[in-house]
């Protein structure tokens, strides 16, 4: 016997109303990635305290790390935790970068309210076929589906790059029409991870391709566009890591001013994972360096959690514009 859990049983929401309101009010819903308990606590608390809607993102590595069954009940616990604090915020649980129909189906059957099917590495027709298959299944259960067209760059720490293939604006209408996906991730110059640009200094970071974004927004008309690879790789956090025994060099992110601009031009979900990982590592390294005789994980993990809460509240207000938007989604 197969037991399925609907996202509604967990108290979650899909992303439809979130995106409608984000497009209308010109802000971006935060897509914050979590890989452990403290990050998840920080995401819910940071968004709860800023009255922001939130999409909690879990990628496949984190899903296996947490275990899907534990994650399901943990999520239910977080929804209750949020309510018990009096935070009335819409929460969505999203699979980040699902690669196969089977992975997406398994998440949908286990309470996710949104999934990404990432067929960006496939040829155009195969991407459409795979996305369509996931959409057909998800629609019956009212789960949202994010797809990707174009390839978002990835640079590893040895500066090996999987180059970007900017999204072709001429293809987006056909792709969205044929797949019926609920939102589309596009490539306009962002990149995953801490090493986004091969440049010497911050002032050499190139601008995102706002011309492509504008053309896509124009063609898709009031349709949810998603930006992956949107961490800003804050220098102060990298410096803390490096001055406490770490070695992260040539790490540059997307300037926050560019993300604000993107959210005004039709981007209504911005994905952030690396910034939280960097800050977490910075705080743990600093604490242990300063307190070599301490050995209670609650001390250094708790500090990391507090700092991530502050960062999330600041980003919601200063970068995404999602602070105090929850009520418009719930009304
Ligand atoms: P960053 O690595 O820039 O945080 O991007 C995360 C992301 O896009 C997850 O899908």
């Amino acid at each position: 016997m197969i037991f399925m859990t609907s996202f509604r049983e967990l108290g979650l929401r899909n992303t439809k109303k979130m995106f409608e309101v984000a497009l209308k009010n010109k802000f971006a819903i935060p897509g914050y990635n979590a890989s452990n308990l403290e990050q998840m606590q920080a995401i819910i608390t940071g968004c709860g305290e800023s009255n922001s809607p939130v999409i909690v993102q879990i990628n496949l590595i984190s899903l296996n790390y947490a275990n899907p069954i534990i994650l399901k009940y943990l999520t239910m616990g977080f929804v209750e935790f949020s309510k018990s604090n009096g935070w009335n915020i819409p929460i969505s649980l999203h699979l980040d970068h699902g690669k196969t129909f089977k992975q997406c189906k398994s998440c949908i059957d286990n309470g996710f309210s949104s999934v990404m099917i990432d067929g960006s590495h496939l040829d155009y027709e195969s991407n459409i076929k795979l996305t369509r298959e996931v959409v057909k299944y998800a629609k019956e259960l009212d789960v949202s589906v994010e797809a990707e067209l174009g390839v978002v760059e990835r640079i590893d720490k040895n500066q090996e790059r999987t180059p970007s293939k900017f999204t072709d604006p001429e293809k987006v209408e056909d792709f969205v029409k044929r797949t019926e996906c609920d939102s589309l991730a596009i490539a306009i110059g962002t990149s995953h991870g801490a090493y986004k640009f091969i440049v010497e200094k911050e002032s050499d970071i190139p601008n995102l391709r706002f011309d492509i974004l504008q053309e896509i927004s124009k063609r898709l008309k009031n349709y949810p566009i998603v930006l992956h690879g949107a961490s800003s790789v804050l220098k102060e956090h990298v410096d803390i890591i490096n001055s406490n025994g770490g070695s992260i060099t040539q790490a540059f992110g997307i300037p926050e001013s560019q993300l604000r601009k993107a959210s005004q031009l039709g981007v209504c979900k911005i994905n952030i994972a690396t910034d939280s990982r960097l800050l977490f590592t910075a705080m743990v390294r600093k604490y242990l360096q300063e307190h070599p005789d301490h050995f209670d994980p609650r001390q250094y993990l708790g500090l990391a959690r507090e700092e991530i809460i502050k960062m999330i509240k600041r980003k919601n207000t200063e970068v995404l514009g999602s602070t105090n938007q929850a009520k418009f989604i719930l009304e």
Side-chain angles (χ1 to χ4, degrees):
M1 168 113 60
I2 300 166
F3 293 101
M4 286 189 16
T5 308
S6 152
F7 66 87
R8 292 207 173 79
E9 289 169 55
L10 305 185
L12 298 170
R13 303 229 163 192
N14 66 27
T15 60
K16 283 178 193 141
K17 186 81 191 285
M18 290 190 189
F19 291 157
E20 248 176 68
V21 173
L23 282 169
K24 185 163 163 260
N25 293 354
K26 290 197 186 302
F27 71 95
I29 307 278
Y32 289 123
N33 283 62
S35 44
N36 66 10
L37 176 72
E38 285 78 10
Q39 281 178 319
M40 214 147 152
Q41 287 174 317
I43 292 167
I44 299 298
T45 304
C47 290
E49 288 183 355
S50 46
N51 291 309
S52 166
V54 62
I55 298 174
V56 180
Q57 309 207 117
I58 308 289
N59 67 19
L60 292 163
I61 301 169
S62 301
L63 186 62
N64 290 329
Y65 180 78
N67 177 284
I69 299 170
I70 294 177
L71 181 70
K72 176 159 85 180
Y73 292 104
L74 203 58
T75 304
M76 206 176 202
F78 274 112
V79 172
E80 289 306 312
F81 165 74
S82 170
K83 281 194 216 149
S84 73
N85 277 291
W87 303 324
N88 201 8
I89 57 165
I91 302 171
S92 172
L93 181 68
H94 173 82
L95 170 67
D96 193 26
H97 294 286
K99 290 283 183 203
T100 64
F101 172 79
K102 202 169 150 203
Q103 290 161 352
C104 291
K105 180 179 182 303
S106 164
C107 286
I108 292 169
D109 292 349
N110 278 292
F112 279 64
S113 60
S114 174
V115 292
M116 175 194 197
I117 177 68
D118 179 0
S120 61
H121 54 293
L122 302 171
D123 64 68
Y124 184 66
E125 287 302 325
S126 309
N127 189 357
I128 289 188
K129 189 163 172 254
L130 177 63
T131 304
R132 181 71 206 138
E133 193 186 2
V134 174
V135 168
K136 256 171 109 173
Y137 185 73
K139 270 212 186 318
E140 281 174 29
L141 299 159
D142 208 18
V143 169
S144 308
V145 178
E146 176 183 314
E148 179 165 324
L149 192 60
V151 178
V152 174
E153 188 169 45
R154 193 176 285 275
I155 303 173
D156 70 22
K157 80 184 220 301
N158 302 317
Q159 311 251 326
E160 293 284 325
R161 74 198 300 173
T162 313
S164 220
K165 237 197 257 157
F166 292 129
T167 306
D168 179 356
E170 292 198 359
K171 293 216 169 88
V172 293
E173 290 150 291
D174 180 64
F175 186 88
V176 167
K177 192 165 162 232
R178 285 170 63 197
T179 61
E180 295 184 43
C181 57
D182 298 289
S183 59
L184 186 67
I186 60 165
I188 56 165
T190 60
S191 161
H192 290 104
Y195 307 94
K196 297 192 192 298
F197 303 104
I198 301 178
V199 294
E200 288 300 319
K201 50 187 190 315
E202 216 166 319
S203 53
D204 293 339
I205 294 172
N207 275 334
L208 296 177
R209 290 290 305 269
F210 291 112
D211 55 327
I212 299 180
L213 171 59
Q214 273 173 308
E215 185 58 30
I216 293 172
S217 291
K218 199 169 97 194
R219 285 171 184 261
L220 290 180
K221 290 181 198 77
N222 225 23
Y223 178 87
I225 294 169
V226 177
L227 213 52
H228 279 244
S231 277
S232 295
V233 187
L234 298 166
K235 186 175 177 311
E236 63 201 88
H237 300 161
V238 173
D239 287 347
I240 295 174
I241 293 176
N242 289 340
S243 55
N244 288 282
S247 171
I248 294 185
T249 51
Q250 302 286 101
F252 296 102
I254 314 294
E256 292 185 340
S257 56
Q258 295 202 34
L259 297 173
R260 269 197 302 275
K261 184 168 171 186
S263 69
Q264 302 292 306
L265 297 174
V267 167
C268 67
K269 171 174 174 256
I270 288 185
N271 286 9
I272 297 167
T274 299
D275 279 348
S276 160
R277 288 189 196 131
L278 285 171
L279 178 53
F280 206 108
T281 303
M283 288 303 117
V284 172
R285 277 192 176 278
K286 183 169 182 281
Y287 187 92
L288 293 176
Q289 189 83 10
E290 286 171 359
H291 305 91
D293 55 330
H294 287 190
F295 54 89
D296 181 343
R298 288 168 297 192
Q299 292 174 317
Y300 49 88
L301 298 182
L303 174 69
R305 184 175 68 190
E306 283 316 302
E307 290 302 315
I308 295 174
I309 293 172
K310 285 186 213 156
M311 181 182 75
I312 283 178
K313 286 167 75 171
R314 188 189 66 76
K315 276 189 187 281
N316 289 350
T317 301
E318 294 177 13
V319 185
L320 303 156
S322 64
T323 292
N324 289 329
Q325 291 289 340
K327 56 182 179 293
F328 302 113
I329 296 160
L330 295 168
E331 71 190 9

